[in-house]
Amino acid sequence: MEKVDKLKLFAALVLVAAGIAGYYLLPADQQALRVVSVLAGVLFAVTVVWFSVPGRDFVDYARDSVKEAEKVVWPSKKEVWQMTGAVFVFTVVLSLFMWLVDSGLSWLLYDLLLKRGG
């Protein structure tokens, strides 16, 4: 990253900090002005970052991400319900299996080997 871009990013941080500082320096009864101070700081910071190489790279990355998200094929409502049902059935079957294994091992260890069962 070039020195100019580092300076732009630093300036953006300073602008955000200035907006936040303005929020705390303004009187509490002027809430709208306090919020405008923060929003202005963020807006100016975004404007500065927009004109830096990392800012343009981020915008390109975001644009490409949106294009990729548009290529996703979402399942139909019927497919969603079928998969949800399959997950529930698998969960019940696995729970029963784990309960049987636990009960069997408990019976084997406590009742047969240690003779503690009643």
Side-chain angles (χ1 to χ4, degrees):
M1 185 167 25
E2 293 182 28
K3 190 174 185 176
V4 174
D5 288 328
K6 288 181 183 179
L7 288 173
K8 288 178 184 178
L9 294 178
F10 179 73
L13 288 174
V14 169
L15 287 168
V16 170
I20 293 171
Y23 179 86
Y24 288 107
L25 292 175
L26 290 169
D29 60 341
Q30 296 185 3
Q31 190 65 27
L33 192 57
R34 294 173 84 186
V35 171
V36 168
S37 170
V38 174
L39 291 177
V42 170
L43 181 66
F44 290 139
V46 167
T47 304
V48 169
V49 170
W50 179 268
F51 291 106
S52 68
V53 173
R56 286 190 300 270
D57 289 344
F58 176 76
V59 170
D60 290 341
Y61 174 77
R63 192 175 296 129
D64 291 341
S65 296
V66 169
K67 286 180 186 176
E68 288 298 319
E70 290 172 352
K71 295 179 184 177
V72 173
V73 179
W74 296 99
S76 67
K77 191 173 187 177
K78 181 181 176 184
E79 291 171 331
V80 169
W81 280 110
Q82 287 174 343
M83 290 302 297
T84 303
V87 168
F88 279 124
V89 168
F90 178 77
T91 303
V92 169
V93 169
L94 185 61
S95 299
L96 288 172
F97 173 75
M98 296 298 286
W99 176 75
L100 285 172
V101 169
D102 182 51
S103 298
L105 288 174
S106 177
W107 174 77
L108 179 69
L109 291 174
Y110 289 113
D111 294 344
L112 291 181
L113 295 177
L114 299 175
K115 298 189 189 318
R116 289 187 185 172

